[in-house]
Amino acid sequence: MNAWEDLVTSALLGTDRKPLAPGGGDGGPVALLDAAAVHTVRRRAGLRPGAAAAPLEMAPEDARPVLPAAARRRLGQLLAGRAAPAPAGGRRGAAPDLAELLPQWLAAANERGCRAPAAALPALLDAARARTDLRPQALAFAGPRGLWLARLNPEWKFALRGTGGGGGAGALPDPADAEAVRALWEEGLFAERVALLAAVRAEDPARGRELLASTWVAERAEDRLMFLDSLRAGLGPADEEFLEAALSDRSRNVRATAAELLSALPASALAGRMAGRAASCVSLDRTRGAETIVVEAPHECDAGMRHDGVVPNPPTGRGERSWWLGQLVEAAPLGCWPDRFGGRSPEEIVALPVADDWQAELHAAWCRAAVRQRNAAWSRALLGSPAAPQATGPGTSSLAERAQLLSTLGAEERAGWVASFIAAHGLSEAFQLLGVCAVPWAEPLGRAVVDALDIARDAGSYPWSFSGVMGLAERCLAPDAAPQLAALTTVSAEPEDASPGAAGYWSEAFQRLVSTLELRAAMHAELTGAS
């Protein structure tokens, strides 16, 4: 019998150049294949069984309720449609975008506490691998069985990051389990420790702070910064002593973050020091005919200011004195200003004239303070009327600032303000403001958006000028707005000055919006078992 190596050599070189050894038949290709078949059978027959592999760990139980049958079918459709190719020419058509509906479906399923079907886990993990924005919701929905499955495929290793993926269910320990928490805090990877600190802090702010303090002096500067940032959740007066000590940290970034957190505590000692400094720079002058705010910015950044987080060197293009003033006013508690200005309300203070072109700097610092301190009264005063010019209010110079101030207001008040802004100015400047409104949009806001889209359609503008708002509407409009939109799906007559073909595009865009809202309504009904 030919050795296996000889057979391979003959196959590679050809039997005419390397004929079979004697006894191999006529030496041609057929004889080569016959000999290889015989040799293969003999080799397999002589194999000895290997050691049995260790059995897989059983998948953990998931006690959450199962999805209704209709919801399971819908999940399959969304996962299958998530990677559909983009339409040719960029035109989206009238069909809903399933890739955008998947995150909404996952959020709704998680709100209802349902577990993922076992058969859907591979596709769910593939979707989360492809889209990082899906991961939090997808992994929450996949639950412990999803993490178990992720350990068996290297392409899903992202699911194990920060979850203690070496064994067990792959979840953080119960914050109430002091021994397990201490063990992971002292021995875990950095991402695991960040997640653990956030979990403990959310459960018990004092225990989270004590956990951080227990190893604070031994942590690296970059790690201290990340850990310190976790104190934003549940920040309260009890954190002041720890943060005050962090003002002397050897890392400039840690000192700055500690100062920022202390300034968000209006009763803290740092806030009091900043209030004294700011008040010495800003006062009311009654000698100019009308009462006027006058500003005398700091002439130096002394050691006390630097200790309290004031950054001495301004960015390129900024003057030193205005830079220091802005930091002092931003860190001062807003409650100090009514007494400084004769008991005036925030609206009355903001309305006062400011001498020597200091108004923009002073009002911008008050805006930052209102956002940092989550002060709704000052936010209202600085926002002003939504009918004011698009990019400005009494204390704002940009729509980004207005959006930040709006975030401090309640959801209903926020929606009403943005609805009035859209009614006054249309949609062209409203995108940033819509992004901070609660979902689904409250009725006044949803109606204002639909009315503004209708006006834009009648004007003959191209719909892709409003594609961003349309995308938000598909995600954020309440599904019961669909009947109001149905009349807008027809192709209307185009004005003489309209862009060519705009009416057809608008009809298509509204058809997609209506079908998306209807599909969202069906999704929610299926998840509740009402379909």
Side-chain angles (χ1 to χ4, degrees):
M1 182 191 72
N2 296 294
W4 182 255
E5 293 77 9
D6 290 338
L7 293 174
V8 172
T9 302
S10 294
L12 291 173
L13 297 179
T15 54
D16 55 339
R17 296 178 58 191
K18 179 66 171 68
L20 295 181
D26 61 6
V30 175
L32 173 65
L33 294 175
D34 288 343
V38 171
H39 196 69
T40 299
V41 171
R42 288 175 175 170
R43 293 183 70 195
R44 289 177 178 174
L47 288 176
R48 295 181 179 179
L56 283 177
E57 172 192 2
M58 291 292 291
E61 291 295 326
D62 191 339
R64 294 176 296 177
V66 298
L67 283 171
R72 290 198 299 273
R73 290 192 295 271
R74 182 70 67 190
L75 173 62
Q77 293 169 0
L78 295 175
L79 288 171
R82 67 177 178 84
R91 189 162 178 168
R92 292 181 56 192
D97 186 344
L98 299 185
E100 289 301 320
L101 285 169
L102 179 57
Q104 298 179 55
W105 189 97
L106 289 171
N110 285 329
E111 287 175 4
R112 287 163 175 77
C114 297
R115 75 168 182 256
L121 288 175
L124 187 63
L125 290 170
D126 279 341
R129 179 172 63 90
R131 287 180 56 178
T132 56
D133 62 304
L134 279 180
R135 290 180 184 177
Q137 294 283 7
L139 294 180
F141 183 55
R145 290 190 168 189
L147 293 178
W148 173 86
L149 186 62
R151 294 191 194 97
L152 306 179
N153 185 345
E155 291 188 346
W156 298 331
K157 63 184 179 182
F158 70 87
L160 307 178
R161 294 171 188 156
T163 63
L172 293 172
D174 186 335
D177 187 343
E179 184 177 348
V181 166
R182 172 60 59 181
L184 183 59
W185 179 249
E186 293 178 351
E187 302 171 9
L189 301 174
F190 174 68
E192 294 172 330
R193 299 177 73 213
V194 170
L196 176 66
L197 181 58
V200 174
R201 181 75 178 173
E203 185 80 13
D204 186 340
R207 283 190 60 232
R209 184 184 63 254
E210 292 165 2
L211 189 67
L212 177 56
S214 68
T215 58
W216 178 256
V217 296
E219 304 289 355
R220 299 182 306 167
E222 56 267 33
D223 294 353
R224 292 199 304 277
L225 180 62
M226 289 290 291
F227 291 142
L228 191 64
D229 200 58
S230 70
L231 297 187
R232 295 181 191 277
L235 182 67
D239 298 318
E240 182 179 357
E241 182 179 357
F242 180 84
L243 292 171
E244 188 74 28
L247 290 175
S248 301
D249 195 272
R250 58 186 180 273
S251 165
R252 178 175 62 84
N253 290 333
V254 171
R255 295 195 302 271
T257 300
E260 179 189 345
L261 293 172
L262 282 168
S263 69
L265 297 172
S268 68
L270 178 138
R273 296 192 294 270
M274 289 299 197
R277 294 175 182 127
S280 69
C281 297
V282 182
S283 59
L284 192 63
D285 186 353
R286 295 181 172 87
T287 66
R288 303 190 179 209
E291 292 180 315
T292 303
I293 296 176
V294 292
V295 174
E296 181 65 28
H299 290 272
E300 65 171 337
C301 185
D302 59 33
M305 291 166 61
R306 292 195 297 272
H307 174 269
D308 285 346
V310 176
V311 179
N313 299 321
T316 303
R318 288 289 301 276
E320 285 185 332
R321 296 181 66 200
S322 64
W323 172 244
W324 299 332
L325 173 75
Q327 293 179 80
L328 295 182
V329 174
E330 176 182 356
L334 290 164
C336 75
W337 298 112
D339 289 341
R340 185 66 172 161
F341 293 114
R344 285 177 168 84
S345 67
E347 287 82 1
E348 292 169 330
I349 294 172
V350 170
L352 288 169
V354 182
D356 302 325
D357 297 325
W358 281 104
Q359 178 170 308
E361 189 71 49
L362 181 61
H363 283 192
W366 277 337
C367 283
R368 296 192 296 273
V371 173
R372 180 182 295 185
Q373 299 171 35
R374 313 306 295 171
N375 191 306
W378 274 86
S379 292
R380 291 187 196 98
L382 293 160
L383 276 167
S385 168
Q390 292 97 314
T392 60
T396 57
S397 59
S398 71
L399 285 166
E401 286 182 335
R402 279 187 152 183
Q404 291 177 330
L405 291 171
L406 280 168
S407 70
T408 69
L409 305 181
E412 186 175 349
E413 183 179 1
R414 202 182 319 162
W417 197 96
V418 177
S420 298
F421 180 93
I422 292 172
H425 306 295
L427 290 168
S428 58
E429 302 289 342
F431 185 80
Q432 285 179 291
L433 306 181
L434 287 168
V436 299
C437 291
V439 177
W441 290 335
E443 169 56 24
L445 178 56
R447 185 170 59 251
V449 170
V450 172
D451 290 345
L453 289 171
D454 190 15
I455 291 170
R457 180 192 69 146
D458 288 343
S461 305
Y462 267 134
W464 50 73
S465 301
F466 301 91
S467 59
V469 175
M470 273 289 191
L472 277 178
E474 291 175 18
R475 296 189 293 274
C476 303
L477 265 178
D480 56 15
Q484 181 188 357
L485 288 160
L488 305 181
T489 60
T490 58
V491 179
S492 60
E494 294 183 353
E496 291 183 1
D497 57 347
S499 301
Y505 279 93
W506 275 110
S507 174
E508 194 174 83
F510 279 120
Q511 289 176 43
R512 182 175 62 253
L513 180 54
V514 170
S515 59
T516 299
L517 296 181
E518 292 174 343
L519 185 51
R520 282 175 50 204
M523 283 166 30
H524 284 275
E526 292 161 358
L527 284 166
T528 58
S531 60

